[in-house]
Amino acid sequence: YLNLYNVMFLLYEYLKDFERAKETLKKSINLGEKLEKYNIVSNAFSNYSHICIVEGDYDKALKMGQLGLDAALKHTPKSEILEFRVKLNICYSLIRLGKLDKAKKMLDEMKTEPFLESFPREKAQCLTLEGHLLTEEEDFERAFQCYTRAKKIAESYEDLYLLKEIQEYR
């Protein structure tokens, strides 16, 4: 059922049927918690947070992200990338909520993660977040530089979805 819920979520997200996507994620979270599959629970909360971001509900996105981080911290063995992926949504929500000091502190910590070199998508997303933060601070030149670096990374492994998103920000 967990695999089924994941496939259903991807289908609903693709179709932009966010209500069904969220319902499917709730089922995945409930079952994942019963089975103590905290990586699944964390990923579901992260996806829920992402849907809330798309809908512009940054308070709820932040809450879902924090629940996802809590679940990621319960997962054994420890998975830094699982935690990192949830933090991306948390940081984005903080930026959109105007909590720039908290977002900057979190982003500064995230950028120092040594494993980031092995995960180009997450590295590009981190640079995109830095661009968002700098845009909010009205440092447009440095924001553009971050977006450009993120664009080059996304181009290197042909992530067209992320590349489109980065280009819009640029």
Side-chain angles (χ1 to χ4, degrees):
Y1 279 97
L2 283 174
N3 288 334
L4 172 65
Y5 294 148
N6 191 47
V7 171
M8 288 173 57
F9 163 74
L10 293 172
L11 177 63
Y12 292 141
E13 182 189 32
Y14 178 78
L15 296 172
K16 307 285 188 231
D17 187 344
F18 297 136
E19 290 309 310
R20 281 188 172 166
K22 289 189 279 190
E23 286 303 314
T24 301
L25 290 170
K26 287 176 187 174
K27 291 176 185 177
S28 185
I29 290 165
N30 289 332
L31 183 56
E33 285 176 339
K34 285 179 186 173
L35 298 173
E36 297 181 359
K37 298 286 188 182
Y38 295 110
N39 58 329
I40 302 290
V41 174
S42 176
N43 190 51
F45 275 122
S46 185
N47 286 332
Y48 203 115
S49 178
H50 174 74
I51 295 294
C52 292
I53 287 170
V54 170
E55 293 179 328
D57 188 349
Y58 303 117
D59 284 314
K60 190 161 188 178
L62 179 59
K63 180 183 175 187
M64 293 296 113
Q66 289 169 331
L67 290 170
L69 183 56
D70 292 343
L73 293 170
K74 290 179 185 177
H75 178 68
T76 54
K78 182 175 175 59
S79 174
E80 292 171 330
I81 192 63
L82 185 64
E83 295 170 26
F84 190 89
R85 288 176 178 150
V86 179
K87 288 178 182 178
L88 289 167
N89 287 336
I90 292 171
C91 191
Y92 187 87
S93 299
L94 289 170
I95 291 168
R96 292 299 175 229
L97 290 169
K99 298 178 180 183
L100 302 184
D101 289 337
K102 280 186 177 182
K104 183 172 178 25
K105 183 179 180 200
M106 178 179 259
L107 189 57
D108 286 345
E109 290 172 9
M110 292 168 65
K111 291 187 317 187
T112 64
E113 292 290 350
F115 67 84
L116 204 52
E117 290 303 316
S118 301
F119 293 90
R121 187 172 211 287
E122 286 75 11
K123 185 174 183 176
Q125 288 175 305
C126 202
L127 285 165
T128 302
L129 280 176
E130 187 173 3
H132 294 335
L133 183 64
L134 291 166
T135 298
E136 290 297 316
E137 294 174 341
E138 297 186 6
D139 189 345
F140 302 115
E141 184 176 331
R142 287 182 50 215
F144 184 76
Q145 291 170 358
C146 287
Y147 292 138
T148 300
R149 288 177 26 225
K151 174 183 154 282
K152 287 179 183 176
I153 292 170
E155 284 175 336
S156 73
Y157 68 97
E158 300 176 357
D159 186 335
L160 299 180
Y161 179 79
L162 185 59
L163 188 57
K164 178 183 179 280
E165 187 177 285
I166 293 167
Q167 284 292 74
E168 288 173 3
Y169 297 132
R170 288 180 77 232

